[in-house]
Amino acid sequence: MTEFIPPGTRTIDLPSPFSMRRGGALHGAHAAFETWGELDAARGNAVLIVTGLSPDAHAAANAADPNPGWWEPMLGPGKPIDTDRWFVICVNSLGSCKGSTGPASVNPATGERYRLEFPDLSIEDGADAAVHVVRALGIERLACVIGNSMGGMTALALLVRHPGIARSHINISGAARALPFSIAIRSLQREAIRLDPNWNSGGYDDARYPESGMRMARKLGVITYRSALEWDGRFGRVRLDSDRAEDEPFGLEFEVESYLEGHARRFVRRFDPNCYLYLSRSMDWFDLGDYCPVRQADTQVSASDASTRAGLASIRVDKALAIGVHTDILFPLQQQREIADGLREGGADARFLPLESPQGHDAFLVDIARFGPAVRGFLDEL
Amino acid sequence: MTEFIPPGTRTIDLPSPFSMRRGGALHGAHAAFETWGELDAARGNAVLIVTGLSPDAHAAANAADPNPGWWEPMLGPGKPIDTDRWFVICVNSLGSCKGSTGPASVNPATGERYRLEFPDLSIEDGADAAVHVVRALGIERLACVIGNSMGGMTALALLVRHPGIARSHINISGAARALPFSIAIRSLQREAIRLDPNWNSGGYDDARYPESGMRMARKLGVITYRSALEWDGRFGRVRLDSDRAEDEPFGLEFEVESYLEGHARRFVRRFDPNCYLYLSRSMDWFDLGDYCPVRQADTQVSASDASTRAGLASIRVDKALAIGVHTDILFPLQQQREIADGLREGGADARFLPLESPQGHDAFLVDIARFGPAVRGFLDEL
């Protein structure tokens, strides 16, 4: 299988064994990362970025790799995350296939890829691996940890499990726990992959690859990453030219179908299906309320709501910003409001910033006009 | 293959040939329907119901079939659609598998099921078939046509193609055209069916049936028929008992996954996959703007918006009500607002009624506390 590691990505060995939260351990595992800017003498200007499900550690161009990264307009000299001031680290999630150890990596005990022998993966395992990278770079305390989407979960896990690790936090389109609509979507994406006969209980190879399952999963992902509002303006009811429409029964006919198809085709061979399954499920499992279970809720909120709030309130940061988008159906706005409210209860100067982006969950990747100033403003005040 | 026709459903022969809007014709076709109440001497108390994709004509219990129907709390003596006053007709959509002629019906020319030999199906064909039922029952002018979901499209097609057919109209969670988010969802549902090897280009049978494709399609449907808000309260993060959770890798674990699985299992063998494909695509094709194309839009609205508005304004009814639900992601609220606004431009006393139902697109089936009074109030004033 193809490797998907950007050329400038480096790795740091994790402790061996590296204990996994739900049981089992990794031996000889490593975490992949890239950096931008310079660590100052006081080691006080470090910013950590933890990512969504699919991005690698190459968030932007740097000395090791001049290719544009997945957050290029946000990160660099003079940009909202200004690398003239900040030393920025982006870690590839544990369990991914972009340099960190995951189900597509070789298990040193067998010499074969882990595949489904990889131990259960939690968001917390990714958080612990990211903290190990930070420590290995000689940093005791981050100026800020920034988490997007799944990374918003990772950042909260990191803060609750490693008190004092960061002075501040920006949570972007993240959540303190998975809710049933998102669980349902991700469950269906995983089912699409599992139903593909080529998945073969994780035993695929390049020749027999679960391409149609991955294509379905990705299309459903893209549908839920964007918004109806954006697509009304962008695609409307525009048809494909007759030479691009498909002749086969019920084939592609509308621009929006072709857009999804293009997105899916670019993705399916660039992300390992087993890694996708593991990372997807780790989000469903995540619940910050696990750390402060409230058994008996009062009459106003459920025990789950109360536990989540208590988990957030147990986190100590000086300053926090939770940004969300009103068109996000996957990590809806009230989840970022919950984060800000909970961190404020824990004593943080925490702000909730809802943005009117039409681009849905993925707005932070594209609507730099709105996200850039919000992130820059927060960091400038640190 | 199993027949899915409720025992009290009757049929009326359609003209033979019955011309289809996109070309081709049906021979020896029929439309299925049921009725409630009595037609008065002036034949002025008839109400027609046109349905969503999957319902049959058995909307409620009646003399021919005492089993509860799919809209049981809404329809009957003393109920919001009061059959002591109204003579109610519910027509099964042309192209369905619940009594009206569709892809699962036998083609008299070959003695075999149509399958993919069925001609292209439009929303308009279903509207024309419904009008034929109305006329065959001796009714010149309906007191009201009520359309839910896809039926909201059918009702608009019927009104624009058969001027004078109805004095009034209730459009429930309907739309005057398909927009790209809904097209994307339906395209993915169809792809799930087409990807199932057992679909076999429409040539399945009971032994080799595209069960997993239908299951995926139905699950995605149910996800988009309800709302995240409802599911937060209903399922939260509740896990399955260990004896209901699945042992297989990445199997069911949360209540919400089990709920989807149950819904899907009940559906897959109760609806013909080819009929599903045809009806699904007919919605994507529907655009009331086809009837009044505006080539050159002004600076405020797109040509598509202007055409849709003109199509709606060309409809003549005395009174109309467009009801929508703020949690509907499939037929979002602005589409019902557009219907009311457009019909008002055409001279109707048209009202837009947004409801705060948490149940999403399917709220009209379950939130009778909100929909009942709205429908009753409108009909009472006729």
Side-chain angles (χ1 to χ4, degrees):
Chain A
M1 286 177 280
T2 330
E3 292 291 333
F4 309 101
I5 307 168
T9 293
R10 290 178 289 158
T11 59
I12 280 179
D13 289 343
L14 295 175
S16 190
F18 180 84
S19 292
M20 302 287 274
R21 179 174 184 243
R22 291 175 59 102
L26 300 176
H27 296 263
H30 47 264
F33 69 99
E34 296 197 18
T35 68
W36 298 257
E38 301 292 332
L39 188 61
D40 63 22
R43 300 173 181 241
N45 70 330
V47 171
L48 171 69
I49 298 172
V50 279
T51 79
L53 186 155
S54 59
D56 52 36
H58 189 60
N62 51 17
D65 178 0
N67 291 309
W70 56 265
W71 221 10
E72 189 67 34
M74 191 64 105
L75 178 61
K79 293 185 181 173
I81 304 172
D82 186 351
T83 53
D84 287 337
R85 176 175 177 198
W86 304 109
F87 174 66
V88 181
I89 311 152
C90 181
V91 176
N92 177 235
S93 308
L94 191 74
S96 176
C97 52
K98 311 265 183 180
S100 292
T101 298
S105 304
V106 171
N107 178 354
T110 64
E112 304 282 333
R113 292 181 192 277
Y114 281 103
R115 302 183 187 272
L116 303 197
E117 299 300 313
F118 199 78
D120 280 357
L121 179 75
S122 301
I123 289 289
E124 283 84 346
D125 302 319
D128 291 352
V131 167
H132 187 80
V133 171
V134 170
R135 300 276 188 240
L137 293 172
I139 297 155
E140 275 303 302
R141 191 164 162 83
L142 295 160
C144 189
V145 53
I146 302 176
N148 305 326
S149 184
M150 182 184 86
M153 293 175 161
T154 308
L156 293 172
L158 178 153
L159 291 167
V160 83
R161 292 163 70 83
H162 303 275
I165 185 74
R167 284 157 49 205
S168 74
H169 171 43
I170 303 178
N171 200 296
I172 296 180
S173 302
R177 64 185 152 163
L179 288 176
F181 182 85
S182 314
I183 292 174
I185 293 281
R186 286 191 290 263
S187 173
L188 202 56
Q189 291 174 301
R190 295 194 297 271
E191 187 169 356
I193 295 169
R194 291 161 52 217
L195 278 174
D196 188 324
N198 282 344
W199 179 58
N200 186 26
S201 296
Y204 50 84
D205 58 26
D206 279 347
R208 292 181 54 84
Y209 187 88
E211 183 138 358
S212 62
M214 283 291 281
R215 201 165 65 227
M216 288 286 296
R218 182 59 170 178
K219 286 187 180 184
L220 182 52
V222 174
I223 288 174
T224 56
Y225 298 156
R226 310 304 288 231
S227 88
L229 183 66
E230 181 199 2
W231 286 3
D232 289 351
R234 183 162 170 186
F235 301 114
R237 293 186 45 78
V238 175
R239 302 303 218 273
L240 294 172
D241 309 330
S242 56
D243 59 328
R244 288 169 63 216
E246 288 182 3
D247 274 343
E248 63 175 304
F250 303 96
L252 306 185
E253 180 177 345
F254 289 93
E255 277 282 354
V256 67
E257 294 176 284
S258 172
Y259 164 83
L260 287 177
E261 184 69 21
H263 260 279
R265 283 191 192 281
R266 282 192 298 277
F267 183 77
V268 294
R269 293 276 180 173
R270 300 279 303 163
F271 207 91
D272 178 74
N274 290 333
C275 293
Y276 193 93
L277 293 171
Y278 271 83
L279 287 163
S280 165
R281 188 178 52 181
S282 76
M283 279 188 267
D284 289 1
W285 281 337
F286 184 64
D287 185 357
L288 201 68
D290 291 351
Y291 294 89
C292 298
V294 176
R295 303 271 170 231
Q296 190 73 42
D298 66 30
T299 51
Q300 298 299 308
V301 294
S302 71
S304 174
D305 289 352
S307 302
T308 303
R309 184 64 78 95
L312 286 162
S314 76
I315 289 174
R316 297 285 170 272
V317 286
D318 298 338
K319 237 171 104 74
L321 174 65
I323 313 179
V325 165
H326 74 117
T327 50
D328 187 342
I329 58 173
L330 204 58
F331 286 68
L333 208 54
Q334 67 265 29
Q335 296 208 276
Q336 293 91 50
R337 184 194 304 273
E338 180 179 60
I339 290 169
D341 289 348
L343 293 176
R344 198 177 304 116
E345 275 183 41
D349 170 12
R351 185 167 163 228
F352 166 57
L353 179 62
L355 295 179
E356 296 285 315
S357 291
Q359 287 100 340
H361 182 65
D362 266 1
F364 65 91
L365 293 174
V366 286
D367 190 0
I368 304 301
R370 286 190 177 84
F371 278 86
V375 169
R376 183 193 295 274
F378 182 87
L379 293 176
D380 278 355
E381 287 177 21
L382 287 185
Chain B
M1 285 175 281
T2 331
E3 292 292 334
F4 310 100
I5 308 168
T9 294
R10 290 179 288 159
T11 60
I12 280 178
D13 290 343
L14 295 175
S16 189
F18 179 85
S19 292
M20 303 288 273
R21 180 176 186 242
R22 291 175 59 101
L26 300 176
H27 296 265
H30 47 264
F33 68 100
E34 296 197 18
T35 67
W36 297 258
E38 301 291 331
L39 189 59
D40 64 21
R43 299 172 183 246
N45 70 330
V47 171
L48 171 69
I49 298 171
V50 280
T51 80
L53 186 154
S54 59
D56 52 35
H58 189 60
N62 52 17
D65 178 1
N67 291 309
W70 56 266
W71 222 10
E72 189 67 34
M74 192 62 106
L75 179 60
K79 292 185 182 173
I81 305 173
D82 187 351
T83 53
D84 286 337
R85 177 176 177 198
W86 304 108
F87 174 65
V88 182
I89 311 152
C90 181
V91 176
N92 177 236
S93 308
L94 191 74
S96 176
C97 53
K98 311 266 184 180
S100 291
T101 298
S105 304
V106 171
N107 178 355
T110 63
E112 304 283 335
R113 292 180 192 277
Y114 281 102
R115 303 182 187 272
L116 302 197
E117 298 300 313
F118 199 79
D120 280 356
L121 179 75
S122 300
I123 290 290
E124 283 84 347
D125 302 318
D128 291 354
V131 167
H132 186 79
V133 171
V134 169
R135 300 275 187 241
L137 293 171
I139 297 155
E140 275 303 303
R141 190 164 162 82
L142 294 161
C144 188
V145 54
I146 302 176
N148 305 327
S149 183
M150 183 185 87
M153 294 175 160
T154 309
L156 293 173
L158 178 154
L159 291 167
V160 83
R161 291 163 71 83
H162 303 275
I165 185 73
R167 283 158 47 208
S168 74
H169 171 42
I170 303 178
N171 200 296
I172 296 180
S173 302
R177 63 184 153 162
L179 288 176
F181 181 85
S182 314
I183 291 174
I185 293 282
R186 286 192 290 263
S187 173
L188 203 55
Q189 292 175 302
R190 295 193 297 273
E191 186 169 356
I193 295 169
R194 291 159 54 215
L195 279 174
D196 188 325
N198 282 344
W199 178 58
N200 187 25
S201 296
Y204 50 85
D205 58 27
D206 279 346
R208 292 181 54 85
Y209 187 90
E211 184 138 354
S212 62
M214 283 291 280
R215 201 165 65 227
M216 287 286 297
R218 181 59 169 178
K219 285 187 180 183
L220 183 52
V222 173
I223 288 174
T224 56
Y225 298 157
R226 309 305 286 235
S227 88
L229 184 65
E230 181 199 3
W231 285 3
D232 289 349
R234 184 164 170 185
F235 301 113
R237 294 186 45 78
V238 175
R239 300 305 217 275
L240 294 172
D241 308 330
S242 56
D243 59 330
R244 288 168 64 217
E246 289 183 1
D247 274 342
E248 63 176 303
F250 302 96
L252 307 186
E253 180 176 345
F254 289 93
E255 277 283 354
V256 66
E257 294 176 283
S258 171
Y259 164 83
L260 287 177
E261 184 69 22
H263 260 280
R265 282 190 192 280
R266 283 192 296 279
F267 184 76
V268 294
R269 293 276 180 171
R270 301 279 303 163
F271 207 92
D272 179 74
N274 290 332
C275 292
Y276 192 94
L277 293 172
Y278 271 83
L279 286 164
S280 166
R281 187 177 53 181
S282 77
M283 278 188 267
D284 289 0
W285 280 337
F286 184 63
D287 185 355
L288 202 68
D290 291 350
Y291 294 89
C292 299
V294 176
R295 301 271 170 232
Q296 189 73 41
D298 65 31
T299 51
Q300 298 300 308
V301 294
S302 71
S304 174
D305 288 351
S307 302
T308 303
R309 184 63 78 94
L312 285 162
S314 75
I315 289 174
R316 297 287 170 268
V317 286
D318 298 338
K319 234 170 106 75
L321 174 65
I323 313 179
V325 165
H326 74 119
T327 50
D328 188 343
I329 58 174
L330 204 58
F331 286 68
L333 207 55
Q334 67 265 28
Q335 295 208 278
Q336 293 91 51
R337 186 195 303 273
E338 179 179 60
I339 291 169
D341 289 348
L343 293 176
R344 197 176 305 117
E345 275 183 39
D349 170 11
R351 186 168 160 228
F352 166 56
L353 179 62
L355 295 179
E356 294 286 314
S357 293
Q359 287 100 339
H361 182 65
D362 266 3
F364 66 90
L365 293 174
V366 285
D367 190 0
I368 305 301
R370 286 190 177 84
F371 278 86
V375 169
R376 182 193 295 275
F378 181 89
L379 293 176
D380 278 356
E381 287 175 20
L382 287 184

